[in-house]
């Protein structure tokens, strides 16, 4: 399926035809993710919530100068306005229509929004959902996202209505980001990137992972000034090649033969004991280890039972099979 138009931008109609509830997009910068989703929703009268991670960002983009509608107004000649409704919510307007086309909110403060009627909301557009490596973490971010969706979707499926559709659009900053973890797709996304597979559909879970690995825009950008000048391989890989990049060179591959696999976290990684008393973190799971999931309660249980593992991490004495294992261990347990 070709998902790019003649200029190299995303064709949202093609992605919408995948008919999945949760649509997770990672792609290079400037590929038309945000613009295309907002344009599609507005053109078809799909009322949306435009979600960002923090209230600081929402406050910034709640003015016309920084609104995500600014590019849409310029390209399509629309009169767009963004206005604050209350402390936590702003609204998007087109022309002199007094009815908002959508709302802008922050995940970090969504629980503070009271009495909001989400009956007419059909889409959630979660923009920049993967935080940059230096981004401020949100406590319980994965659970906050799931609770946010539950609040908006409510019981509409029990009443025979379609569920709210989610579009997560971001750059490949972190393979173990809170959304991938909460939806259990960390390894699915990583394998898609390794195989350069553009679309992965989990039909039984109504999830699509859209991996913009062949974006014509990203290919063209390699010849622009910034990327000719940049020697930052990790930044270039994220921005252009849509790969998560390496996060550490302090890794070592160890033969698993004779090692005891003591713990596994879902299907993401396993912890082995080494002959010298140390611990080894690997993608490969063997034997019948204790299995934990990534919920807050299971993480707490793990930390209580396996204090020695966390002590080894604090002392920088853990050994990781690869950069991916280091990234997911850090994001889940640190």
């Amino acid at each position: 399926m070709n998902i790019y138009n003649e200029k190299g931008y995303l064709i949202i109609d093609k992605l919408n035809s995948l008919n999945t509830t949760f649509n997770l997009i990672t792609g290079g910068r400037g590929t038309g993710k945000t613009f295309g989703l907002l344009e599609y929703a507005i053109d078809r009268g799909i009322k949306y919530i435009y979600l960002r991670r923090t209230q600081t960002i929402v406050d910034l983009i709640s003015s016309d100068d920084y609104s995500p509608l600014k590019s849409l107004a310029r390209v399509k000649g629309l009169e767009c306005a963004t206005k604050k409704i209350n402390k936590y919510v702003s609204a998007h307007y087109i022309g002199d229509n007094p009815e908002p086309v959508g709302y802008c909110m922050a995940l970090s403060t969504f629980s503070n929004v009271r009495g909001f009627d989400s009956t007419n909301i059909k889409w959630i557009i979660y923009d920049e959902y993967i935080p940059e490596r230096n981004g401020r973490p949100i406590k319980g971010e994965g659970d906050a996202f799931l609770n946010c969706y539950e609040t908006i979707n409510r019981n509409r499926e029990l009443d025979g209505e379609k569920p709210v559709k989610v579009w997560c659009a971001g750059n490949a900053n972190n393979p173990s980001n809170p959304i991938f973890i909460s939806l259990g797709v960390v390894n699915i996304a990583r394998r898609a990137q390794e195989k350069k597979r553009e679309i992965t559909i989990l039909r039984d879970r109504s999830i699509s992972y859209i991996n913009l690995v062949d974006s014509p825009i990203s290919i063209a950008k390699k010849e622009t000034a910034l990327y000719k000048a940049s020697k930052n391989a990790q930044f270039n890989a994220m921005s252009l090649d849509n790969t998560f990049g390496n996060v550490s060179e302090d890794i070592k591959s160890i033969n698993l033969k004779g090692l005891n696999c003591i713990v596994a976290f879902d299907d993401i990684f396993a912890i082995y004991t080494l002959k010298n008393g140390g611990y080894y973190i690997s993608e490969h799971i063997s034997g019948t280890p204790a299995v934990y999931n990534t919920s807050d309660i299971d993480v707490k249980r793990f930390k209580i039972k396996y204090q020695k593992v966390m002590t080894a991490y604090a002392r920088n004495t853990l050994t990781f099979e690869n950069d991916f294992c280091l990234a997911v261990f850090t994001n889940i347990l640190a």
Side-chain angles (χ1 to χ4, degrees):
M1 177 190 293
N2 177 31
I3 59 174
Y4 305 102
N5 65 20
E6 64 279 0
K7 293 184 178 179
Y9 296 108
L10 275 176
I11 302 174
I12 302 302
D13 196 41
K14 293 282 187 74
L15 301 184
N16 197 44
S17 70
L18 298 175
N19 291 320
T20 47
T21 301
F22 295 91
N23 303 275
L24 314 175
I25 307 173
T26 56
R29 293 174 171 175
T31 51
K33 300 184 294 293
T34 304
F35 182 98
L37 288 167
L38 288 171
E39 178 187 38
Y40 190 93
I42 291 170
D43 283 352
R44 289 159 179 78
I46 300 171
K47 187 157 287 191
Y48 59 84
I49 288 177
Y50 178 77
L51 190 68
R52 295 295 294 266
R53 292 184 64 250
T54 67
Q55 188 64 42
T56 301
I57 294 298
V58 168
D59 290 342
L60 176 66
I61 64 177
S62 292
S63 66
D64 291 336
D65 284 342
Y66 295 99
S67 171
L69 298 183
K70 188 174 182 179
S71 294
L72 204 64
R74 175 177 54 82
V75 173
K76 302 196 70 173
L78 298 175
E79 291 185 12
C80 302
T82 302
K83 299 177 182 178
K84 272 277 193 179
I85 294 178
N86 59 38
K87 183 177 180 180
Y88 302 111
V89 183
S90 58
H92 292 165
Y93 299 89
I94 302 295
D96 55 6
N97 189 340
E99 182 68 20
V101 294
Y103 300 92
C104 184
M105 302 181 187
L107 181 65
S108 64
T109 56
F110 186 84
S111 61
N112 296 323
V113 179
R114 306 296 182 187
F116 177 75
D117 182 8
S118 61
T119 306
N120 295 327
I121 299 300
K122 304 301 181 186
W123 277 14
I124 298 171
I125 302 172
Y126 189 8
D127 204 9
E128 304 295 349
Y129 70 104
I130 302 179
E132 295 185 5
R133 296 185 186 278
N134 60 350
R136 180 176 66 84
I138 298 171
K139 185 177 181 180
E141 189 165 344
D143 287 346
F145 170 74
L146 297 178
N147 284 322
C148 171
Y149 183 82
E150 169 64 22
T151 299
I152 297 168
N153 195 55
R154 289 297 185 187
N155 292 338
R156 63 182 73 195
E157 292 173 82
L158 303 182
D159 296 331
E161 299 178 32
K162 291 183 178 180
V164 173
K165 179 168 283 195
V166 175
W167 297 94
C168 294
N171 301 313
N173 292 313
N174 189 338
S176 56
N177 64 80
I179 303 306
F180 283 8
I181 290 173
S182 65
L183 294 177
V185 298
V186 173
N187 270 335
I188 290 167
R190 185 167 182 266
R191 289 166 189 150
Q193 289 200 343
E194 287 176 344
K195 296 178 180 179
K196 297 189 180 300
R197 185 170 59 240
E198 201 153 53
I199 296 176
T200 302
I201 301 177
L202 309 178
R203 189 60 66 188
D204 60 326
R205 299 173 59 199
S206 199
I207 296 174
S208 289
Y209 174 57
I210 299 107
N211 169 38
L212 306 184
V213 67
D214 291 323
S215 163
I217 297 293
S218 294
I219 294 170
K221 275 195 169 188
K222 290 181 180 180
E223 298 304 316
T224 59
L226 173 62
Y227 299 102
K228 282 184 176 180
S230 173
K231 295 298 182 182
N232 187 327
Q234 184 168 305
F235 173 78
N236 291 355
M238 176 273 293
S239 299
L240 300 176
D241 300 326
N242 196 35
T243 58
F244 292 119
N246 294 328
V247 297
S248 174
E249 295 179 355
D250 186 23
I251 57 178
K252 181 180 179 182
S253 181
I254 296 176
N255 191 329
L256 298 178
K257 187 176 180 179
L259 300 185
N260 182 28
C261 184
I262 58 171
V263 179
F265 266 85
D266 289 332
D267 67 341
I268 303 174
F269 67 86
I271 302 174
Y272 291 78
T273 53
L274 297 172
K275 294 176 182 179
N276 64 3
Y279 298 96
Y280 179 57
I281 317 301
S282 171
E283 287 186 69
H284 305 283
I285 302 171
S286 62
T288 55
V291 178
Y292 290 78
N293 61 49
T294 57
S295 67
D296 287 345
I297 187 65
D298 255 26
V299 169
K300 289 178 182 177
R301 287 171 178 162
F302 170 86
K303 289 181 177 180
I304 291 172
K305 186 170 183 179
Y306 296 95
Q307 293 180 24
K308 290 183 179 180
V309 175
M310 299 311 300
T311 299
Y313 175 75
R315 293 175 176 172
N316 290 321
T317 59
L318 287 181
T319 303
F320 295 89
E321 180 181 34
N322 52 39
D323 59 279
F324 170 75
C325 288
L326 173 59
V328 293
F329 183 96
T330 301
N331 279 273
I332 294 171
L333 293 172

